[in-house]
Amino acid sequence: QVQLLESGGGSVQPGGSLRLSCSTSAVTANFWYMGWFRQAPGKEREGVAAIDTANSAGYYADSVKGRFTISQDNAKKTLFLQMNSLKPEDSSIYYCAAMRRGHQSTVLNPAVYNYWGQGTQVTVSS
């Protein structure tokens, strides 16, 4: 059973930074793609960023392009999300997810992911 565990969430002022980590029970190379998603109260879960574990190519939602960076450390079985220039609208629960196999065109669609972490809260407020 694959397990994913997020960490690094917290409270930060607008313009600040946070780095989320997701430790996995399997090497990231076991999955074709891994991603970060977020869900705010009353809203649907949305894709934030995803990574092709074979070549570390990143894919981003328009709302976070230029501010967030997804990366992986396969040896440490860890996925990261560096979040800079945070805005209040980035406040949400952030989830890590892994996809066994899939297509690049669907990497930000939460419905195609097979494994999920429990989430970590990010709050951006002054």
Side-chain angles (χ1 to χ4, degrees):
Q1 180 69 22
V2 174
Q3 294 182 330
L4 306 175
L5 181 63
E6 304 93 338
S7 61
S11 296
V12 64
Q13 292 187 340
S17 298
L18 283 173
R19 189 191 197 202
L20 304 183
S21 299
C22 172
S23 61
T24 74
S25 58
V27 293
T28 58
N30 282 7
F31 313 108
W32 282 24
Y33 296 95
M34 295 190 71
W36 288 96
F37 297 80
R38 66 188 182 188
Q39 187 168 18
K43 294 188 176 182
E44 293 186 354
R45 190 168 296 188
E46 63 173 348
V48 174
I51 190 168
D52 182 329
T53 62
N55 59 23
S56 294
Y59 304 88
Y60 299 92
D62 288 342
S63 59
V64 306
K65 280 181 182 177
R67 300 189 298 122
F68 291 11
T69 303
I70 189 170
S71 61
Q72 63 173 340
D73 185 329
N74 191 28
K76 294 184 179 179
K77 299 188 290 185
T78 306
L79 182 73
F80 302 100
L81 185 68
Q82 178 66 43
M83 305 186 295
N84 299 328
S85 302
L86 282 162
K87 305 175 181 180
E89 52 264 41
D90 294 318
S91 297
S92 193
I93 298 176
Y94 282 72
Y95 298 90
C96 169
M99 182 198 307
R100 287 193 301 265
R101 55 191 302 163
H103 193 270
Q104 175 185 324
S105 62
T106 63
V107 294
L108 293 181
N109 180 356
V112 303
Y113 281 76
N114 306 105
Y115 308 103
W116 291 87
Q118 294 300 307
T120 184
Q121 178 70 48
V122 171
T123 302
V124 185
S125 174
S126 55

